[in-house]
Amino acid sequence: MDNFIFNNPTKIIFGKDTELLVGKETKKYTNKVLLHYGGGSIKKTGLYDRVINSLKEAGIEVFELSGVQPNPRLSLVHKGIDICRKNNIDFILAVGGGSVIDSAKAIAVGVPYEGNVWDFYAGISEPKEALPVATVLTIPAAGSESSNSSVITNEDGWYKRGLTHNLLYPVFSILNPELTYTLPNYQTACGAADIMAHIMERYFTNTQHVELTDRLCEATFKTIVRNIPLALKNPEDYNARAEIMWAGTVAHNNLLNTGRLGDWGSHDIEHEISAIYDIAHGAGLAIVFPAWMKYVYKRDIRRFAQYAQRMWNIDDNLFDLEDVALRGIAALENYFSSIGLPTRLSHVNIDDKHLEEMADKCTASDTQRVGAVMQLNKNDVLNILKLAL
Ligand code: NZQ
Ligand code: ZN
């Protein structure tokens, strides 16, 4: 086990009707907020009205910026920064999913920064301060509600890049599983793939002696695998929705990677796909992760066999660990298919036209490696993308 510091400061407020507490909680920080949200699902579901009423009851002045798209764009972030500066807004409330929250985080680090906020995402500069961000989560998936990351797409060149910094942890996040009843099944499934990927990115590690976190990963993963079909069958199954929502947060709040180094190669590759083709991040991961596994499993057959046995209950076969490992990969692929996700690029009408470009961008023209279990160069990324066709 490696040395680590674990300090996740996000206060989680979980359960039925908890969005009604948003005014009271926000009031502890400010009298004025930027309410940031997406394409309108929160208006259809009535959540918008409940949040506005709660803020108004607490005497909070509300400015609004809607229109965050999945795979959130830099241009809207600039708009948000302008609104905050012009109106002296010092707090951002994100109501929505990972895209809305990531956009809010980008605005939060951009407001006090004199340069272009993209500098942080391009790795040219590091944030020194940020406005506080809070969230009301509507989709369990990205884990941004208690992560220290934000992922933004720059339309100039279609670069999708992440920023990780402890200033980005939200100060509080409200998680009411009932708010997820209205998710279309496809979004629920995409969220599942993202949550499972967040666990697997951590599970596949070269770090030895990580028994506790292995077991925590397995518990979280199996909770998703069991509850997703229940939520797809009955979208208003509170118990299933609650398990999924909490698992989504636990999967990405950095507890599961304490003392171990994760991989993250599949995420880096997926971001190139959703940057160019604008597909849901979770769908991209359902395509990339099995291909990545097929490409790298020989590096650590024992760990991949352990994954198969513990996550998917594949029979132990001490005489053929490779067979066990391969059956684990097949089980993951079958599961993704069974919940309605694509598992090949061709399933989302992507051909080989941009594979070379994606491999090039992912590795900064073959000057950087991605992943840790196997450090992938441009050719490796290209091979993985070809396996995913
Ligand atoms: O825009 P609206 O109308 O709200 O609709 C959204 C959107 O179309 C809809 N939706 C959300 N909640 C709903 C709902 N529809 C009905 N009922 C509800 N309760 O769902 C669609 C997808 O929303 P989005 O926010 O894009 O989903 P997600 O949470 O999966 O976020 C994806 C983004 O997060 C990034 C991804 O790369 C992607 O850009 N990630 C962020 C991470 C982080 N900050 O830590 C880590 C992740 O690995 C990931 O990269
Ligand atoms: Zn993800």
Side-chain angles (χ1 to χ4, degrees), residues 158-300:
W158 297 105
Y159 287 94
K160 184 173 180 181
R161 293 287 176 263
L163 165 67
T164 298
H165 195 287
N166 286 348
L167 285 168
L168 298 187
Y169 281 112
V171 289
F172 68 82
S173 283
I174 292 180
L175 277 60
N176 176 357
E178 293 170 312
L179 300 179
T180 67
Y181 290 171
T182 52
L183 280 168
N185 273 359
Y186 185 66
Q187 289 297 342
T188 297
C190 286
D194 196 14
I195 296 167
M196 290 162 75
H198 292 162
I199 300 165
M200 293 188 291
E201 295 282 19
R202 292 165 164 99
Y203 197 75
F204 293 108
T205 180
N206 291 330
T207 315
Q208 301 294 308
H209 303 291
V210 285
E211 189 179 333
L212 173 67
T213 43
D214 271 2
R215 300 288 186 187
L216 292 172
C217 286
E218 290 152 13
T220 316
F221 190 90
K222 290 172 102 159
T223 301
I224 290 293
V225 168
R226 205 183 80 76
N227 283 282
I228 284 291
L230 301 177
L232 293 177
K233 200 165 157 212
N234 176 12
E236 302 199 4
D237 179 338
Y238 182 82
N239 294 325
R241 292 291 194 186
E243 299 289 353
I244 295 164
M245 199 167 210
W246 187 222
T249 300
V250 169
H252 201 49
N253 72 357
N254 287 330
L255 172 68
L256 301 187
N257 54 274
T258 44
R260 59 198 291 154
L261 181 69
D263 186 80
W264 299 101
S266 300
H267 262 72
D268 285 338
I269 298 172
E270 193 296 314
H271 285 163
E272 301 305 334
I273 301 173
S274 49
I276 293 183
Y277 293 99
D278 202 19
I279 61 169
H281 170 63
L285 287 167
I287 294 165
V288 171
F289 226 106
W292 173 85
M293 293 167 101
K294 288 172 201 163
Y295 195 72
V296 308
Y297 75 92
K298 286 190 179 149
R299 288 291 168 117
D300 192 351

Side-chain angles (χ1 to χ4, degrees), residues 12-84:
I12 300 292
I13 302 166
F14 190 97
K16 292 179 181 172
D17 296 329
T18 44
E19 69 274 18
L20 302 177
L21 298 173
V22 71
K24 193 175 142 221
E25 290 296 325
T26 305
K27 188 75 177 174
K28 293 176 184 167
Y29 296 88
T30 189
N31 292 317
K32 204 195 279 189
V33 296
L34 179 69
L35 175 64
H36 200 31
Y37 56 98
S41 72
I42 69 162
K43 288 206 167 159
K44 276 192 218 133
T45 60
L47 174 61
Y48 172 86
D49 292 331
R50 294 201 293 284
V51 167
I52 288 281
N53 287 341
S54 175
L55 292 170
K56 294 248 155 98
E57 270 167 29
I60 293 164
E61 190 182 357
V62 181
F63 292 77
E64 289 189 28
L65 180 61
S66 63
V68 180
Q69 291 168 258
N71 302 315
R73 310 294 202 267
L74 181 62
S75 53
L76 195 75
V77 170
H78 285 309
K79 232 180 179 175
I81 293 170
D82 281 347
I83 296 174
C84 289

Side-chain angles (χ1 to χ4, degrees), residues 111-183:
V111 171
Y113 180 62
E114 283 179 5
N116 185 335
V117 67
W118 185 251
D119 291 351
F120 301 138
Y121 292 80
I124 296 168
S125 181
E126 221 190 281
K128 302 268 182 301
E129 50 182 326
L131 303 185
V133 170
T135 86
V136 178
L137 184 67
T138 62
I139 170 170
S144 188
E145 67 278 6
S146 75
S147 85
N148 56 351
S149 307
S150 156
V151 186
I152 296 293
T153 297
N154 186 340
E155 302 96 315
D156 184 7
W158 297 105
Y159 287 94
K160 184 173 180 181
R161 293 287 176 263
L163 165 67
T164 298
H165 195 287
N166 286 348
L167 285 168
L168 298 187
Y169 281 112
V171 289
F172 68 82
S173 283
I174 292 180
L175 277 60
N176 176 357
E178 293 170 312
L179 300 179
T180 67
Y181 290 171
T182 52
L183 280 168

Side-chain angles (χ1 to χ4, degrees), residues 272-387:
E272 301 305 334
I273 301 173
S274 49
I276 293 183
Y277 293 99
D278 202 19
I279 61 169
H281 170 63
L285 287 167
I287 294 165
V288 171
F289 226 106
W292 173 85
M293 293 167 101
K294 288 172 201 163
Y295 195 72
V296 308
Y297 75 92
K298 286 190 179 149
R299 288 291 168 117
D300 192 351
I301 288 191
R302 278 172 45 162
R303 179 154 280 281
F304 277 82
Q306 177 183 303
Y307 164 84
Q309 288 162 5
R310 294 195 189 167
M311 304 285 210
W312 297 107
N313 308 317
I314 307 251
D315 289 346
D316 207 340
N317 179 353
L318 292 178
F319 300 103
D320 194 350
L321 287 186
E322 180 164 8
D323 175 59
V324 175
L326 288 172
R327 283 194 285 147
I329 299 170
L332 176 69
E333 241 177 332
N334 290 338
Y335 182 79
F336 284 153
S337 299
S338 75
I339 60 172
L341 289 171
T343 53
R344 292 285 187 284
L345 290 169
S346 53
H347 296 170
V348 286
N349 300 320
I350 296 177
D351 60 18
D352 59 2
K353 195 169 159 209
H354 292 289
L355 299 194
E356 174 88 25
E357 177 190 344
M358 291 191 277
D360 194 66
K361 277 173 152 177
C362 190
T363 55
S365 301
D366 212 14
T367 61
Q368 286 170 16
R369 302 283 175 269
V370 295
V373 170
M374 177 176 171
Q375 297 196 346
L376 308 168
N377 63 24
K378 180 180 164 182
N379 197 43
D380 295 320
V381 173
L382 190 58
N383 286 335
I384 289 169
L385 287 167
K386 283 181 182 163
L387 272 178

